Amino acid sequence: MLTAVPMPAAPSDGRPRVSVVIPLYNKEGQIARAIASVQAQTFQDFEIVVIDDGSKDGGPALVAAMSDARIRLYRQPNGGVSVARNRGVELARADVVAFLDGDDAWYPDHLERLWQLRADFPGTLAWAMNYHVVALDGTLTPGVSVVTEPRVVLTPENFFRIARHGTPVFSSAVAVDRDALRRVGGFPAGVRLGEDLDTWIRLLFSGPIAFDARPGAFYHADGDDRALVRNPPPARYVFFDTDEAWMRAHPEATQVAQDIEAFHDFFRLAHAHHQIKWGDKAAGREVLKSCRTGAFAAERDRLMRMSLLPQPLYRALGRLLASLRGRAPAAQASRS
């Protein structure tokens, strides 16, 4: 049973304690579910800032029709999820900003536990909950399953080792100090995949993040117009540059560098798989050869063998790669 959460005095100007920022793009089938999960929170001192990023469906109209004074809807031309999130942060009235994608949802005590995490770990810049990945058949899988402690403080020394098995900072399950997010530059505009991971990694490099291993959010696989459907996994994500710049600045951190390279190898494998399945098999094999660690050696070798098959047969045997895809860092790379 939840204990009472210590509540500091409300801002004297009547501002809410938490601003919930929801970027919205073509999520007519899911946005009501997302907002309902916020309205059902045990922690009720929030506002909801919805940024319609040029939707072409009826999602914004559904939001506009909701009779809740805490909901504010803003419309803008399509600029991508980073632009939408950044605008939401600028419009937020609270010092703490929680994010929720328009096709995801929260457990009822999500905000309450995030607030407790913030109280229990002073000095941290963001507070993240674990999450459940919800398959189309309703099956629930923990997003992060390798953390055995109830709560941990994430730093470069442990983040990348954990994230090889599922990123512990997922954009629908995190709250952040608004000023800290501004200091690291917010979300990178124009990046369609991996923009959120780049943001959380830049924040991590500037200070610690507290993580609760209990799920607080749902990552739904039924989202309309998902970014991973519209955009193939790239050969190089924007956060590769962020990570490599940090490694150059910290040559003494050899173990962290090894963990980062293993983390990157997951994404190299995802790109190689897409190339072999839909594009250039020779290019996919070159990407496999570029993997720099042995962290995913079994998956790499299996992909290399399967790349020798005709593409139709490779695609037919795609279910054999479920273990690779289920490890999930790439699955959470972007959701606009």
Side-chain angles (χ1 to χ4, degrees):
M1 179 177 294
L2 288 171
T3 57
V5 178
M7 294 287 184
S12 59
D13 56 3
R15 292 181 296 124
R17 290 188 177 93
V18 177
S19 294
V20 180
V21 171
I22 302 178
L24 176 61
Y25 180 72
N26 293 350
K27 299 293 189 294
E28 180 178 6
Q30 297 83 35
I31 185 60
R33 175 183 67 195
I35 291 178
S37 77
V38 181
Q39 293 171 316
Q41 291 296 298
T42 55
F43 180 109
Q44 284 284 306
D45 193 359
F46 60 78
E47 66 172 354
I48 302 173
V49 182
V50 180
I51 306 298
D52 169 31
D53 190 39
S55 295
K56 300 174 183 176
D57 63 6
L62 291 176
V63 176
M66 293 179 179
S67 56
D68 188 333
R70 295 171 297 180
I71 299 173
R72 293 188 285 144
L73 172 66
Y74 299 89
R75 302 174 189 267
Q76 65 182 31
N78 180 254
V81 66
S82 290
V83 174
R85 287 187 181 127
N86 287 339
R87 189 179 182 207
V89 170
E90 291 306 311
L91 292 168
R93 296 189 297 137
D95 295 327
V96 174
V97 178
F99 294 95
L100 176 63
D101 284 350
D103 47 5
D104 291 330
W106 287 341
Y107 281 96
D109 58 353
H110 177 66
L111 282 181
E112 185 173 345
R113 286 193 280 144
L114 281 176
W115 195 263
Q116 183 71 63
L117 197 62
R118 177 176 178 266
D120 290 347
F121 291 89
T124 50
L125 303 182
W127 312 278
M129 299 295 299
N130 203 347
Y131 49 95
H132 271 130
V133 179
V134 186
L136 292 176
D137 64 1
T139 302
L140 299 179
T141 304
V144 180
S145 58
V146 297
V147 175
T148 56
E149 300 90 344
R151 299 190 294 184
V152 299
V153 175
L154 301 172
T155 67
E157 285 69 32
N158 61 8
F159 174 87
F160 294 99
R161 196 173 312 130
I162 294 169
R164 292 186 322 196
H165 307 278
T167 177
V169 185
F170 166 46
S171 290
S172 285
V174 63
V176 61
D177 179 280
R178 184 179 59 172
D179 289 339
L181 183 59
R182 285 169 165 168
R183 285 195 297 270
V184 300
F187 295 87
V191 179
R192 294 290 179 176
L193 286 176
E195 83 296 324
D196 47 358
L197 265 176
D198 183 64
T199 302
W200 306 131
I201 290 170
R202 280 185 283 113
L203 191 68
L204 178 82
F205 288 153
S206 71
I209 297 172
F211 173 74
D212 189 321
R214 296 171 297 170
F218 298 98
Y219 170 99
H220 282 281
D222 64 350
D224 299 332
D225 202 51
R226 291 173 57 198
L228 281 169
V229 175
R230 290 183 278 111
N231 304 288
R236 185 177 177 84
Y237 283 85
V238 64
F239 55 81
F240 283 27
D241 295 331
T242 299
D243 297 341
E244 290 170 6
W246 187 91
M247 287 189 285
R248 289 192 298 270
H250 298 81
E252 76 287 353
T254 55
Q255 183 58 59
V256 176
Q258 293 175 26
D259 293 339
I260 288 174
E261 288 294 354
F263 176 66
H264 289 184
D265 275 352
F266 179 92
F267 295 92
R268 294 185 181 105
L269 289 174
H271 176 72
H273 165 57
H274 189 274
Q275 285 291 94
I276 295 166
K277 184 175 182 180
W278 301 109
D280 184 339
K281 291 196 294 181
R285 285 192 287 270
E286 287 303 310
V287 173
L288 292 175
K289 292 176 184 177
S290 74
C291 291
R292 301 173 185 176
T293 74
F296 298 100
E299 291 91 340
R300 181 195 61 210
D301 294 345
R302 182 168 56 207
L303 278 173
M304 189 69 81
R305 291 193 300 269
M306 291 181 66
S307 74
L308 303 175
L309 299 172
Q311 278 177 320
L313 182 56
Y314 180 96
R315 291 194 287 268
L317 294 174
R319 289 189 181 88
L320 294 180
L321 299 174
S323 62
L324 170 63
R325 293 194 299 272
R327 294 168 80 163
Q332 276 70 259
S334 180
R335 297 289 309 284
S336 75

